[in-house]
Every structure is written in structure tokens, then in C-alpha cells.
Amino acid sequence: MAHTEFSGRTLVISGASRGIGLAIGLGAARLGANVVLLAKTAEPHPRLPGTVHTAAADIEAAGGKALAVVGDVRNEDDVQRAIDAAVDRFGGIDICVNNASAIAVEPTEQLSAKKFDLMQDINVRGTFLLTKACLPHLRRSAAPHVVTIAPPLNMNPHWLGIHPSYTLSKYGMTLLSLGWAAEYADAGIAFSCLWPETYIATSAVANSPGADELIGKSRSPRIMADAAVEILRSPAAEVTGKCFIDADVLTEAGVTDFSGYGGGTEPLIDFFLDRPATA
């Protein structure tokens, strides 16, 4: 019975109240997982759909067990409180998903120090704090995974030059993942990165200039969820130390038609990728 495949497995996801984080939580919940949602949004936001509490309700409706924790991934105490709550409620942690991320792509001379700090703090520090807090529990899991929503390292000068500070923060997440794969090679914990081939229809895209056209050429967050589930199904040794693209993971799993994910016939290729989209 497929819907119990992840029964008894506990995921902790940062930035989980909407978008890719919530989608991954739902994908695991449909297979019976326990999902711990760490997010800042406790009250409805005028420009952003959903709160950590509505996300938890969605997880329960999808067949999983949910625990909502209001907190900031940048704050060490908040992160530890989320991990303690997860272990108290579900007995352990099997999967850590580093999803929380901030983006600012202004040219360097226009980028504020505040936005620079925000990207490094959420993207790099947040990934460090959440993973570090999960590690003692991941060591005791039968199938431990850490999945970080970060791109393959692409040294094309275009991606280095177009938004160096954002690139630094996202590549920092990737470097941590690759570093941990080496550091914990003997612990049996899988560390992988997952990145979308195309733009994903998230609030970040919906709130950007020219949003209507962008959303029309963006795929559903569900494609990232389906790819994450495939990674989480895999033995640690097969996926650790790798950077995956969602469409490649699904092609490998036998998916040939991506039209159900939206984005039209020519979806927009995402940042950091030099490639044509999967037809």
C-alpha cells in the first residue's frame, strides 16, 4: 500500500508554510509521514498565502501527521525548540529538508547590507542550524536524509555575475551539503541537493514584476515534491553528495510527460542552469 510507504518517518522542513516546502511536506504526508513544519508565518500575510497552521491542516488532510512550529530558522533557540518538539511528538527525526530561502537580485551597488545579511542568514546560517540540530537524531534513523533546496555549482560567469550575493548564499547551501556528505560519509546519512529545472509557481514569482507571464511559464511546486519523494526513497549511498534537478530525477523514475506540472510548452529555465527544458 503506497500511502503507508513513509509511515513512521519524520520530516522537519524549514520555510514550510507554502510553496516548495509545503509541497514536499504534502508529498511525504500522502505516503503517511510525520511532518514538522518550521515557519515564521503564524498570522495571515497580505501578500502571501497560508500560515504554518493552515499548512499543518493541509498535511493532516493529505494523510500525514503534522506539527506546526512557529519560529525563525535564523534563530538557534527556535530551531532547537522545533527539533525538541519533533522528537517529543514523534520520537525521532529521519529527514531534514532545508527549504527556507531569501532572494534579492539587485545589482551590488543597489543591494542593501540588510538584504545581503538576510540572504546569508536564512540561506546559509539557517541550513547550518537546522541540519546541525537534526544530526544527533539522524544518526539514529534507519534511513536518514538531508535534502537541501540548492543548485548545482555552476561557475558560468553569467551566474556568478548576475547576482553575486544571492549566488553566494545558494552556492553556500550547496557547499555545506557536499561538505557534509564527505564529513558524514561513514555515518550513513544522505546529503543531497535538489533544484528545479524551471521556474516554480511560488509566492516569490507571484510577487515579482511581470508575475502573470512568469506564473504561466512556471511549473507547479508538486514537481519538486515528486522529485524529493524519489530521492527520499533511495538508499543513502545512491544519492549522497549529489545535486539533482527535479526533471532529471523524474525522468530517471520513468516520467515522460511533464505537462501535468504546468509551465506551458516553453517553461522558463531556472537560475543557475544552462540547459533547454525537458519537453
Side-chain angles (χ1 to χ4, degrees):
M1 282 171 52
H3 64 272
T4 60
E5 183 183 351
F6 283 10
S7 182
R9 294 179 78 179
T10 300
L11 293 78
V12 178
I13 307 175
S14 64
S17 52
R18 64 184 69 87
I20 290 169
L22 175 56
I24 292 174
L26 289 170
R30 290 185 192 107
L31 299 175
N34 309 318
V35 183
V36 181
L37 308 155
L38 173 62
K40 284 193 306 182
T41 313
E43 303 296 328
H45 186 287
R47 292 176 65 199
L48 301 172
T51 68
V52 69
H53 304 297
T54 61
D58 292 345
I59 295 291
E60 299 267 351
K65 293 190 178 80
L67 176 62
V69 180
V70 177
D72 189 332
V73 75
R74 295 172 290 176
N75 183 301
E76 193 169 7
D77 292 338
D78 284 6
V79 170
Q80 191 60 54
R81 182 166 49 80
I83 300 311
D84 291 345
V87 174
D88 187 53
R89 172 84 178 270
F90 298 120
I93 294 168
D94 304 285
I95 297 159
C96 169
V97 180
N98 292 301
N99 168 70
S101 206
I103 180 169
V105 294
E106 292 95 321
T108 298
E109 288 168 88
Q110 276 80 58
L111 183 71
S112 68
K114 183 178 179 181
K115 284 187 179 176
F116 177 90
D117 288 345
L118 185 71
M119 288 192 287
Q120 313 311 323
D121 284 352
I122 293 177
N123 303 1
V124 182
R125 176 187 167 91
T127 294
F128 165 75
L129 288 177
L130 188 65
T131 304
K132 181 184 177 185
C134 285
L135 276 164
H137 307 288
L138 293 169
R139 286 180 176 279
R140 293 193 282 273
S141 169
H145 281 262
V146 177
V147 177
T148 299
I149 309 304
L153 297 174
N154 183 352
M155 293 300 158
N156 181 332
H158 172 77
W159 296 116
L160 296 178
I162 197 166
H163 36 53
S165 297
Y166 176 61
T167 299
L168 172 68
S169 71
K170 294 306 292 188
Y171 285 12
M173 294 170 73
T174 306
L175 282 168
L176 281 174
S177 183
L178 296 174
W180 287 324
E183 185 180 8
Y184 292 95
D186 298 335
I189 303 170
F191 292 90
S192 60
C193 291
L194 177 62
W195 193 246
E197 176 183 53
T198 67
Y199 273 56
I200 299 293
T202 62
S203 297
V205 174
N207 288 322
S208 55
D212 290 348
E213 184 185 354
L214 292 178
I215 287 289
K217 292 187 170 186
S218 300
R219 287 178 178 156
S220 162
R222 193 167 49 83
I223 190 170
M224 286 289 282
D226 290 351
V229 164
E230 290 300 327
I231 292 170
L232 296 173
R233 281 184 169 134
S234 306
E238 290 180 13
V239 297
T240 196
K242 296 182 180 176
C243 294
F244 295 99
I245 304 300
D246 58 359
D248 294 346
V249 172
L250 295 174
T251 298
E252 183 82 11
V255 176
T256 53
D257 180 7
F258 289 83
S259 62
Y261 294 115
T265 53
E266 293 185 7
L268 291 167
I269 298 301
D270 207 352
F271 291 4
F272 309 116
L273 302 181
D274 311 330
R275 60 188 288 167
T278 305

